[in-house]
Amino acid sequence: MRLVIVGGVAAGMSAASRARRFDPAAQIVVFDRGEWISYGACGLPYVLGGDVEDFGDLVARTPEQMRARGIGVRLRHEVTGIDAAARTLTVLDRDAGRTVTEPYDRLLLATGVSPVRPDWATTDLSGVHVLKDIPDGQAIQASLDGARRACIVGGGYIGLELAENFRARGLSVVMLEKGPDIAGRVLDPPYQQRVRTVVEEHGVDVRCGVTVTGLTGKGGRVTGVQTDAGLVRADVVVVSVGVRPNTALARAAGARIGKTGAVAVDARQLTSVDGVYAAGDNAEATHRVTRRRVHIPLGLTANRMGRVAGVNMAGGHATFPGILGTAIFKTFTLGVARTGLTQTEADALGLHAHSVDVSSTDHAGYYADAKPIHVRLTAERGSGRLLGTQIVAHGHLSAKRVDVVAALLQQRATVQDLFDCDLAYAPPFSSVWDVLLVAADRLHRDVRAG
Amino acid sequence: MRLVIVGGVAAGMSAASRARRFDPAAQIVVFDRGEWISYGACGLPYVLGGDVEDFGDLVARTPEQMRARGIGVRLRHEVTGIDAAARTLTVLDRDAGRTVTEPYDRLLLATGVSPVRPDWATTDLSGVHVLKDIPDGQAIQASLDGARRACIVGGGYIGLELAENFRARGLSVVMLEKGPDIAGRVLDPPYQQRVRTVVEEHGVDVRCGVTVTGLTGKGGRVTGVQTDAGLVRADVVVVSVGVRPNTALARAAGARIGKTGAVAVDARQLTSVDGVYAAGDNAEATHRVTRRRVHIPLGLTANRMGRVAGVNMAGGHATFPGILGTAIFKTFTLGVARTGLTQTEADALGLHAHSVDVSSTDHAGYYADAKPIHVRLTAERGSGRLLGTQIVAHGHLSAKRVDVVAALLQQRATVQDLFDCDLAYAPPFSSVWDVLLVAADRLHRDVRAG
């Protein structure tokens, strides 16, 4: 049994490890077009900010460690073609400049996503970057040397993490966002505004409703970003305006692509093509709240999908439980989190949803250093079923309370169920009535009424 | 309708507020034998440590604020007798030195608990204290003036909170515990040991397996604690060896007392006597995991019971959902939490329970300032039903993750359900696989096997 995995980061390496454990006899080979495998891409902004010393610190397991576990790792090997009927791959060895044909019994496509690069960002100017993998991070690191002005295009969570880390290095930062506010895909508008306020307080020049039209440069280096609202001077530009799933190989294999644009898979991570699995950022998942197929590429999802795929490829049986749309990020002192649906998302789906907002402190108001925490809790009118929550916490760790609601969404619990929870209380940790309980109490009254 | 409440702290004031809201016309009177109402007793150690400036800061609502909401508050009024047939109370006005008879239509006994005072602690020596209410705290505060050596008798959570706060004031601290280790009622032995190690690292002289036999004094002031393992010199002694529910009034009313020693109540907080409710630290609760009646007096439980009682006294219908045995405390840098059952407790109940232990970091290991977190997760073999968790977190806030398990216990969820949860991940908040997920993964394999 020859198991072949294309892509050696989160999903790919999880699959390899899991398959190895499940079937000690299988031959397992991972092809990666780059030079780095098994690293935490979510940590990239923190290397740039200096909190993490070196890109190598993000690596969980080296190729040598994987090989020692009997997993073949071929770096700088790009899979360029597939014959799903013959169960073979065309693989370009980038160092040797040679193409070989590789057979597989079962194949995993863990090809991830690519950052969207608008036309204006396709340039020969140096200093213009995206941030997806370690080489991107290294390129930004090199550009930051001597730089004073950074421009981040896109106000999503990666942009917001970068803003904090660039400010930590003393750079001036301008953030350009096409939409009406930052964090627009993560939060409802009032919570977007809360994030923006704090980001601005930390010296980031946030400009929303701005469309980038081009770049200016001098001597081969970027000097500014042209927008419909004027020129923004910058030594370093990071473009962080979204990602697209890498589906070329899946398409070449004849696998069905979902409406989301990502690879369609069943609960076992199998594509529509026999023997071909997909897992990670390139694959769709089922949203447990809406039961719809969605494409929300995130680290835990990728690792979990990879694990499921690895078991199944090796002849076992595992299923992916779906996702809840849980996401969290830190920007400056803020922790921002959400799970389930926002009010905006619930409305767009035609759900009869209602939200309450509660502002409190993360722990007893009289205890030292109590920080504001803002919670929006959303439920379905009538049934009282929980739909989601959004948290903006000024002591960032408290945003992790989102997990309580995630656990209850997982169980399709109601607002009353949340209110009834015996949550932990002591003054250094929360108010007697945790802010989530306060929100549940208010929301329960509202949705019952409506 | 005259609603009378005996005891004006957590349960009593919650009941009064709730009853007021539910029935604006009812006459509501609260009798309290002391001078303080509506305060957060859990904050007392932090006033002693200096984190909270003043005992008054613990007060949520003053008598004046309560009166402004139409709630009669009679301080220094001690209810000394009851005639449940006639629905009258005998009340001693301590200032006037006069006893009056007060009628009620519905009565709430929110009489709380009293700290256990062993015979040796009944003394005329000054400097020997318990800590239950604000006057206790004020007395300790006065004793601390000029004190250098504190002896805390009892290694429970109040003792451990005090130890931190006494050390913060520069006192030397000896902690005496009769049992084999500290935090013995909260945690299983290996986790007790983790707490002890850190408490000792912070300079507390912890002595376990030690029985106190008496006190020494000079000039009316305590000078030491005599034990079966020698004399411990001390200027201040705090005795924190447990509490007993105040049930005298309930007994006088003819109300049934449960096997736990606390007042038996139904889900509406009604005692066995018509028109007489009990809520708060003096009342039993149903443990949702075991379905047994237990007596675990804690702040949220008291507030929640009071709320339920208040609605029902005012003619509404509310039920208490039961408790999960959730508890949390901070001692020095540690956060310690538990919910559900420990392995020890599950064994004592004859459950076929199994636990796994996972030690990890609270957030991504490469991210700045990752702190160790230790999690024990316990489930029932065969069914896989979650039974409980224990957390010892070196960054104290991370102990709040206990709430995720509490939420799932509430739903009678399985280990698999926990593993399937889409919990929040970003490097400043957790590992990709949150430590709870890692524990669930391991435990799932174990309990399925056996």
Side-chain angles (χ1 to χ4, degrees):
Chain A
M1 179 71 76
R2 189 172 205 245
L3 309 180
V4 174
I5 295 168
V6 185
V9 191
M13 295 322 289
S14 293
S17 296
R18 208 67 193 173
R20 174 79 301 150
R21 194 188 292 191
F22 201 88
D23 180 358
Q27 190 189 355
I28 303 175
V29 184
V30 178
F31 293 108
D32 197 283
R33 64 183 172 185
E35 300 182 27
W36 296 90
I37 61 158
S38 185
Y39 61 90
C42 304
L44 291 167
Y46 304 99
V47 185
L48 296 173
D51 266 353
V52 180
E53 205 167 309
D54 191 88
F55 289 102
D57 294 344
L58 305 182
V59 173
R61 289 199 185 81
T62 63
E64 291 65 39
Q65 288 172 316
M66 298 309 290
R67 286 173 193 134
R69 298 171 69 189
I71 294 167
V73 176
R74 311 258 186 94
L75 301 178
R76 295 183 55 76
H77 278 64
E78 186 167 1
V79 178
T80 56
I82 181 169
D83 182 338
R87 300 209 176 194
T88 58
L89 299 173
T90 311
V91 182
L92 169 66
D93 177 341
R94 292 169 66 185
D95 290 327
R98 188 181 57 183
T99 293
V100 294
T101 299
E102 293 276 355
Y104 68 84
D105 293 302
R106 285 174 186 153
L107 175 68
L108 174 62
L109 301 175
T111 48
V113 290
S114 293
V116 170
R117 263 201 193 254
D119 286 344
W120 60 259
T122 306
T123 173
D124 291 333
L125 293 172
S126 69
V128 181
H129 303 277
V130 293
L131 179 58
K132 177 67 191 65
D133 55 24
I134 288 183
D136 292 337
Q138 291 171 319
I140 296 174
Q141 189 78 288
S143 281
L144 288 176
D145 194 29
R148 291 187 302 140
R149 292 190 186 89
C151 178
I152 297 168
V153 181
Y157 71 90
I158 295 173
L160 288 163
E161 289 171 343
L162 277 175
E164 175 191 352
N165 283 288
F166 283 174
R167 290 294 295 148
R169 290 180 65 133
L171 277 79
S172 76
V173 176
V174 177
M175 173 170 278
L176 302 177
E177 166 60 43
K178 194 171 59 179
D181 213 335
I182 58 176
R185 290 197 205 172
V186 181
L187 300 173
D188 282 331
Y191 288 73
Q192 295 166 14
Q193 182 56 50
R194 292 187 186 286
V195 176
R196 180 174 180 166
T197 301
V198 169
V199 169
E200 288 177 339
E201 280 168 7
H202 284 85
V204 178
D205 179 354
V206 178
R207 306 184 193 175
C208 294
V210 171
T211 300
V212 175
T213 55
L215 298 167
T216 59
K218 189 174 171 186
R221 170 98 189 197
V222 71
T223 56
V225 178
Q226 291 172 316
T227 79
D228 60 0
L231 178 70
V232 176
R233 293 178 62 192
D235 312 305
V236 177
V237 177
V238 182
V239 182
S240 184
V241 296
V243 293
R244 281 204 196 97
N246 294 325
T247 56
L249 271 181
R251 289 173 198 271
R256 195 168 75 77
I257 306 299
K259 283 181 190 160
T260 66
V263 183
V265 289
D266 67 11
R268 299 183 67 209
Q269 301 299 136
L270 191 63
T271 69
S272 62
V273 178
D274 199 33
V276 179
Y277 296 78
D281 290 355
N282 55 324
E284 290 186 331
T286 300
H287 197 297
R288 285 179 67 98
V289 175
T290 63
R291 304 260 161 98
R292 287 164 185 253
R293 304 296 289 173
V294 293
H295 180 234
I296 306 176
L298 285 170
L300 174 60
T301 302
N303 276 272
R304 199 190 282 274
M305 283 181 170
R307 210 180 123 106
V308 169
V311 170
N312 290 323
M313 290 171 75
H317 184 90
T319 56
F320 185 75
I323 63 166
L324 297 163
T326 312
I328 196 166
F329 66 89
K330 176 177 185 287
T331 185
F332 300 98
T333 51
L334 280 191
V336 180
R338 56 78 54 89
T339 188
L341 304 175
T342 61
Q343 178 73 41
T344 310
E345 290 164 355
D347 288 345
L349 290 164
L351 291 168
H352 198 38
H354 180 71
S355 297
V356 295
D357 296 310
V358 175
S359 292
S360 179
T361 51
D362 51 3
H363 51 251
Y366 57 75
Y367 184 79
D369 214 22
K371 298 269 176 51
I373 182 168
H374 308 280
V375 171
R376 167 166 284 199
L377 190 67
T378 305
E380 192 174 53
R381 284 189 190 273
S383 72
R385 181 164 70 103
L386 279 171
L387 294 176
T389 197
Q390 296 161 66
I391 300 179
V392 173
H394 287 254
H396 78 274
L397 285 177
S398 295
K400 212 14 183 144
R401 293 188 194 180
V402 72
D403 286 348
V404 175
V405 178
L408 290 171
L409 288 176
Q410 174 81 4
Q411 301 288 308
R412 300 184 86 76
T414 65
V415 177
Q416 175 80 54
D417 292 327
L418 171 55
F419 180 69
D420 285 350
C421 279
D422 187 17
L423 301 185
Y425 160 61
F429 299 91
S430 81
S431 306
V432 180
W433 294 97
D434 189 284
V435 62
L436 291 176
L437 299 179
V438 175
D441 184 31
R442 295 203 196 150
L443 184 55
H444 177 60
R445 268 177 276 159
D446 285 1
V447 296
R448 209 175 33 177
Chain B
M1 177 72 76
R2 189 173 204 243
L3 309 180
V4 173
I5 296 168
V6 185
V9 191
M13 295 323 290
S14 293
S17 296
R18 208 67 192 172
R20 174 80 300 151
R21 193 187 295 191
F22 201 88
D23 179 359
Q27 189 189 356
I28 304 175
V29 184
V30 179
F31 294 107
D32 197 282
R33 64 182 173 186
E35 301 181 27
W36 296 89
I37 61 158
S38 185
Y39 61 91
C42 304
L44 291 167
Y46 304 98
V47 185
L48 296 173
D51 266 353
V52 180
E53 207 168 307
D54 191 89
F55 289 103
D57 294 344
L58 304 182
V59 173
R61 290 199 184 81
T62 63
E64 291 66 37
Q65 287 172 315
M66 297 309 290
R67 287 174 193 135
R69 298 171 69 190
I71 295 168
V73 176
R74 311 258 185 95
L75 301 179
R76 295 181 57 74
H77 277 65
E78 187 166 0
V79 178
T80 56
I82 181 169
D83 182 337
R87 300 209 176 195
T88 58
L89 299 174
T90 312
V91 182
L92 169 66
D93 176 341
R94 294 169 64 185
D95 289 327
R98 185 181 58 183
T99 293
V100 293
T101 299
E102 293 275 355
Y104 67 83
D105 292 302
R106 286 175 186 152
L107 175 69
L108 173 62
L109 300 174
T111 48
V113 290
S114 292
V116 171
R117 263 201 193 252
D119 287 342
W120 60 259
T122 307
T123 174
D124 291 332
L125 293 172
S126 69
V128 182
H129 303 276
V130 292
L131 179 58
K132 178 65 190 66
D133 55 24
I134 287 181
D136 292 337
Q138 291 172 319
I140 296 174
Q141 188 79 290
S143 281
L144 288 175
D145 193 29
R148 290 186 302 138
R149 293 190 187 89
C151 179
I152 297 168
V153 181
Y157 71 92
I158 293 173
L160 288 163
E161 288 172 343
L162 277 176
E164 176 192 352
N165 283 288
F166 284 174
R167 291 292 296 147
R169 289 180 66 131
L171 277 78
S172 77
V173 176
V174 177
M175 173 170 277
L176 302 177
E177 166 59 44
K178 195 171 60 177
D181 213 334
I182 58 175
R185 290 196 204 171
V186 182
L187 300 172
D188 282 332
Y191 287 73
Q192 295 165 15
Q193 183 57 50
R194 291 188 188 284
V195 176
R196 180 174 180 165
T197 300
V198 170
V199 169
E200 288 178 339
E201 281 167 7
H202 284 85
V204 177
D205 179 354
V206 178
R207 304 184 193 174
C208 295
V210 171
T211 300
V212 175
T213 54
L215 298 167
T216 59
K218 190 174 172 185
R221 169 97 189 197
V222 72
T223 56
V225 178
Q226 291 172 316
T227 80
D228 59 359
L231 179 71
V232 176
R233 294 178 62 191
D235 313 305
V236 177
V237 177
V238 181
V239 183
S240 183
V241 296
V243 293
R244 281 205 196 95
N246 294 325
T247 56
L249 271 182
R251 288 174 199 271
R256 196 168 75 76
I257 305 300
K259 282 181 189 160
T260 66
V263 183
V265 289
D266 68 11
R268 299 183 67 208
Q269 300 299 136
L270 191 62
T271 69
S272 62
V273 179
D274 198 34
V276 179
Y277 296 79
D281 289 357
N282 56 325
E284 290 186 330
T286 300
H287 196 297
R288 285 179 67 97
V289 176
T290 64
R291 304 258 161 100
R292 286 164 184 254
R293 303 296 290 173
V294 293
H295 180 234
I296 306 175
L298 285 170
L300 174 59
T301 302
N303 276 273
R304 199 191 282 277
M305 282 181 170
R307 212 179 121 105
V308 169
V311 169
N312 290 324
M313 290 171 75
H317 184 91
T319 56
F320 185 75
I323 63 165
L324 298 163
T326 312
I328 195 166
F329 66 89
K330 176 177 184 288
T331 185
F332 300 98
T333 50
L334 281 191
V336 179
R338 57 78 55 89
T339 188
L341 304 175
T342 62
Q343 179 72 41
T344 310
E345 290 164 355
D347 289 346
L349 290 164
L351 292 169
H352 198 38
H354 180 71
S355 297
V356 294
D357 296 308
V358 174
S359 292
S360 180
T361 50
D362 51 4
H363 51 251
Y366 57 75
Y367 184 79
D369 213 24
K371 299 269 176 51
I373 182 168
H374 308 281
V375 172
R376 168 166 284 199
L377 190 67
T378 305
E380 191 173 54
R381 284 189 190 275
S383 72
R385 180 164 71 102
L386 279 172
L387 294 176
T389 197
Q390 296 161 66
I391 301 179
V392 173
H394 288 253
H396 77 273
L397 286 177
S398 295
K400 217 3 188 153
R401 291 189 196 180
V402 72
D403 286 347
V404 175
V405 178
L408 290 171
L409 288 176
Q410 174 82 3
Q411 301 289 307
R412 298 186 87 75
T414 66
V415 177
Q416 176 79 53
D417 291 327
L418 171 55
F419 180 68
D420 285 349
C421 280
D422 187 17
L423 301 186
Y425 161 62
F429 299 92
S430 82
S431 305
V432 180
W433 294 97
D434 188 285
V435 62
L436 292 175
L437 299 179
V438 175
D441 185 30
R442 295 202 196 150
L443 183 56
H444 176 61
R445 269 177 276 158
D446 286 0
V447 296
R448 209 174 35 178

